[in-house]
Amino acid sequence: MPDYGFSPIIGHDQIKEVLQRAAKKRQPGHAYILEGNAGSGRRMLAKAFAMSLLCENFGGGGRPMEPCGACKSCVQFLTDNHPDVKVVTHEKASLGVEDIRAQLVNDMQIKPYEAPYKVYLVPEAEKMTAQAQNALLKTLEEPPDYGVILLMTTNADFFLPTIRSRCTHLAVRPLPDSLVLRALTKKVQEAHDTSAAELSAEGNRPEAAEKAEAPFSAEEVSETEIRMAVSFARGSIGEGWNILSSGRFPFQKKMAKKLATEAGSLSVSGLLSLLKEWEAGDYPVILECLRLWYRDAILWKAEEEKAEKYLLFGEDPQLEETSRLRYESLERIVEEIDRAGARMKVNVRPENAMEILFLTLQEEYRRASVNGGNV
Ligand SMILES: [Zn+2]
């Protein structure tokens, strides 16, 4: 299967259909909003659409509704050399009026070099300042026939209503867990096959040595870890894959378990020294692993035998000990974990949010005298 176009994109069938039809009829809208979470597939959809619009053979002569991958335009696109495709970038934290003017508004006045369209991809479009949006608005009001703008955003509410009303809005919704699970399992398998093929073809090439040092080893990813990543991903294959391929997942899982099993006996200074090893990206994943641990404990408590197949930490004998906490305690802990995550999002220092959570854990454990709480 090719790794470009619509076919490798999992789910989002309705959006694909809308975009494929527009490309086939050669009647794209002038502006689209692709709204969805990070890693949800917005960029893949936007790129597949841009490539399809520009492909010389798209859908012609009974071909599938996919870019051909072989015409001059496709080759230019795949090597990031298409003169009529622009990705609008920004160096500062926000996407300012100068960025929009130079890279989009003024650039669009120049006719396409070769293709019938000029396509502008705008990642992180929610970062456009009000001034930048006003500059863009003028273009949206009177766009040249060939102009197509693809705004990618996590939240379309950041746009001026006048912008929203001039765009086709496509909501890139979270995928069902079953699809994310299938996709991640396949990606892990592919990564495994690739590294196995590289090993067998190795010789003493320098790249082989480099690969050996890469943090991600597909062989070490267990089915349980994939299922945990699915839970964390909340419908986004990209997010799930980030966790699995970061090389930090085994550490993150270990830390979550350590907190869950040792909070009763660990001191605050012990916690703080643990936190020194954590990187910024570890916090949300560790919190999610912790949440799963307690969710498992609740399930275990409710239905010891039936629950087994749903448990993510199921093989772990220490889960049973946690499950001896009262329901109220377990529920309070899960609420506190969610609260810690919310605090981190509003810029409370993550160390402080962890400390507050840790104190709740200690309190509940001591009360119940479990998991080392009987000190
Ligand atoms: Zn083509």
Side-chain angles (χ1 to χ4, degrees), residues 7-77:
S7 57
I9 302 173
I10 293 164
H12 312 305
D13 292 346
Q14 278 180 325
I15 296 180
K16 283 193 265 190
E17 210 185 309
V18 168
L19 298 176
Q20 283 168 318
R21 270 170 202 251
K24 171 91 199 275
K25 285 194 195 155
R26 304 275 154 195
Q27 283 174 354
H30 284 298
Y32 292 82
I33 293 173
L34 291 132
E35 182 186 25
N37 297 332
S40 59
R42 296 165 304 171
R43 191 184 266 256
M44 284 178 87
L45 286 161
K47 285 176 81 172
F49 185 43
M51 191 175 171
S52 302
L53 278 176
L54 302 170
C55 171
E56 292 157 26
N57 301 316
F58 184 86
R63 287 194 197 81
M65 303 270 255
E66 292 288 344
C68 73
C71 70
K72 186 181 171 205
S73 173
C74 284
V75 171
Q76 284 177 326
F77 187 93

Side-chain angles (χ1 to χ4, degrees), residues 260-261 293-294 297 301 317-326 330 333 365 370-371:
T261 55
W293 178 275
Y294 291 101
K301 199 174 177 66
Q318 282 174 288
L319 186 66
E320 196 189 344
E321 203 175 335
T322 306
S323 74
R324 281 194 242 134
L325 287 166
R326 289 172 308 142
L330 289 168
I333 290 170
Y365 282 25
V370 300
N371 283 128

